[in-house]
Amino acid sequence: MTAMLTSGIVVNGYRDMATRLPVARVPVCSELVLPLQQHIGTPAEPVVGSGDRVVRGQLIARARGFVSAGLHAPVNAVVLGIECRPVPHPSGLNGLCLVLAAEDGADWGSAGPEVVDPNSIAIPEPDIIRMMVRQAGIVGLGGATFPTSVKIKSGMSQPVDTLIINGCDCEPWISCDEMLLRERPGQVLAGCHLLRQSLAADRCVLAVEDDAPEMVAGLQQVIADCNSPVRLEVLPARYPSGSEKQLIHIITGKEVPSQGLPVDVGAAVYNAGTAAAVYQAVVHEVPLISRLVSVSGPGIGRPRVVEALLGTPVSELLRFCGGRTADANGLIMGGAMMGLGLASDEIPVTKGMNSILVTTPAMSQDAQGEMPCIRCGECARVCPARLAPQQLLSLIRNGDLEQAQQRWALEDCIECGCCNAVCPSHIPLAGYYRYAKGEIRKQGKARVKAQQARQRYEFRMERIERAKREREEKLRKKKEALQAANKARARAAMAEEARSFEDEM
Ligand code: SF4
Ligand code: SF4
């Protein structure tokens, strides 16, 4: 069942810009910087120290806790240390990183041959697949960076009927999934089989968009040639059909409940790049040490999709792609709609970095000032999460975040920016929602802190009371013992006196 997506917007994807050249590997650079936090969850814990020599693929930081992911050395190298360096994060703050110096002559090595027949690979037991995925440090490569083994585990505990492999590049200007599916379709299809086996899913659907006809034709051919059970679903290109909940709705017709998970409606969604990484980990035992990055935008000399080792500075990717044009004025990690502005090109490639967009002033030429809402309802019409953006805006402006959250499901906003794009009053609606969600999280944290402080105070008072009671009890017992001893002494003295009196008589 494929439902039509009536929400969302049609945008120029600019995808052809970075798909004219084949994928190329960025040369190994002398210093690699690997942030310990490249995933959702607890940061990885280093297992190597300054001066240690590490080999390509060796574990250098282990997963700490259940929701976490390990890190591996991308090349043979020497550990320079653990330092605070710029990392891709909205806060703009530095983060703890393992810094490696690549050995002279360190190279990419071989990641194994391209799969010819994805149906012929050996499929291990589900638990083995999950363990190998965890050992390889794989996270969602579409940008979500949730540890894949944890997602598999949750899919194993509830029935999954539809496994969806997301081959829709999630935003304009991003082309890495398209190039992966054009150049390495066998790896993705093999990953589909492994993920389907791990989840015992009834069917597997590979979803792509129709604005990349060359990729679609190639996939149809490969699937037909190997008689793959994977069903190819070609969707009309419409932003943001690549986002998880929208994709599930389009493919299955089911809606993931507010605050719910895909598995609640029997679905699981994995990015195409993640599926290829699962194939590399399970079949070739290669951990996640590199990824495809789309380097595009009007401000880059030679846009293309590159494969880069984790830890490579963005500056190296830009240099490899012909450098910035004279009018380049900014860098965005991700796409133009939801991406994160980067303050520096020294930020390293991380597991979640699917794109670097190099902007020019022409991209923001039509930016205009915010005007009053005219209640046209356009924002509600395009909202893929079926929210009421105008009501949310009014509640947020009035400071009523609780209503926005509890009655109007603010948390379900995926910050796609479709409402911004259609608002005739140029109101940056998604910015308001991002701010409000941040405030709610801050308030939630403050509430938890206050609750913990109150509990600490109550525990302390109880401890003081208990100590006081114990002290009093001790004193009482001591007093009783003293009184008993005094009585015994008095009785002994009286007995002694009586005996002396009898002797005198
Ligand atoms: S940013 Fe949020 S409110 Fe606006 S269209 Fe996207 S999901 Fe809807
Ligand atoms: S699109 Fe803009 S002007 Fe129209 S209702 Fe929404 S917020 Fe108001």
Side-chain angles (χ1 to χ4, degrees), residues 49-72:
S50 263
D52 286 353
R53 184 181 176 267
V54 293
V55 296
R56 180 176 173 273
Q58 180 183 328
L59 185 77
I60 52 174
R62 68 170 161 237
R64 193 153 51 108
F66 181 54
V67 183
S68 185
L71 281 174
H72 301 78

Side-chain angles (χ1 to χ4, degrees), residues 372-380 390 393 419 422-425 427 429:
C373 170
I374 56 168
R375 298 177 186 279
C376 65
E378 275 301 291
C379 48
Q390 183 197 334
L393 174 70
C419 46
V422 296
C423 178
S425 297
I427 303 171
L429 293 149

Side-chain angles (χ1 to χ4, degrees), residues 88-298:
H89 192 271
S91 67
L93 298 172
N94 290 354
L96 267 186
C97 302
L98 266 164
V99 183
L100 309 183
E103 276 184 356
D104 284 345
D107 61 12
W108 272 82
S110 160
E114 167 67 347
V115 192
V116 179
D117 179 2
N119 295 335
S120 68
I121 58 164
I123 309 267
E125 287 301 307
D127 271 330
I128 305 283
I129 297 175
R130 187 179 61 80
M131 192 194 70
M132 293 181 87
V133 167
R134 181 166 170 89
Q135 282 172 351
I138 299 174
V139 302
L141 296 184
T145 68
F146 190 77
T148 304
S149 63
V150 181
K151 199 166 171 179
I152 293 176
K153 177 98 178 159
S154 84
M156 288 163 101
S157 57
Q158 275 175 271
V160 171
D161 54 58
T162 309
L163 163 66
I164 301 171
I165 301 299
N166 187 356
C168 310
D169 281 297
C170 51
E171 281 205 55
W173 299 100
I174 304 179
S175 313
C176 54
D177 290 340
E178 177 181 339
M179 291 307 286
L180 173 71
L181 288 164
R182 263 166 64 164
E183 297 196 2
R184 305 172 191 177
Q187 295 192 8
V188 178
L189 290 176
C192 291
H193 294 317
L194 291 163
L195 285 167
R196 185 178 171 194
Q197 165 78 2
S198 69
L199 301 168
D202 297 337
R203 60 180 185 143
C204 176
V205 177
L206 172 57
V208 295
E209 287 182 317
D210 63 2
D211 60 351
E214 194 179 325
M215 172 196 67
V216 172
L219 280 174
Q220 282 166 337
Q221 189 65 53
V222 174
I223 287 174
D225 287 351
C226 67
N227 197 20
S228 173
V230 174
R231 199 181 87 209
L232 184 67
E233 194 77 61
V234 185
L235 312 173
R238 197 175 173 90
Y239 175 76
S241 52
S243 80
E244 193 170 73
K245 288 186 178 176
Q246 278 61 50
L247 201 53
I248 292 171
H249 183 235
I250 298 168
I251 303 286
T252 67
K254 294 178 192 167
E255 279 205 39
V256 178
S258 174
Q259 310 287 310
L261 293 171
V263 80
D264 297 337
V265 294
V269 182
Y270 293 82
N271 169 260
T274 311
V278 168
Y279 157 76
Q280 291 288 359
V282 177
V283 176
H284 298 292
E285 297 184 27
V286 175
L288 185 61
I289 54 173
S290 69
R291 69 155 299 145
L292 297 192
V293 186
S294 171
V295 183
S296 192

Side-chain angles (χ1 to χ4, degrees), residues 7-9 239-240 246 338 378-390 392 409-410 412-422 429-431 433-434 437:
S7 55
I9 54 175
Y239 175 76
Q246 278 61 50
M338 299 168 74
E378 275 301 291
C379 48
R381 189 182 62 75
V382 298
C383 177
R386 295 164 196 247
L387 301 177
Q390 183 197 334
L392 282 171
L410 173 65
D412 286 350
C413 168
I414 57 170
E415 298 171 24
C416 65
C418 287
C419 46
N420 288 14
V422 296
L429 293 149
Y433 309 144
R434 197 172 302 130
K437 288 203 279 185

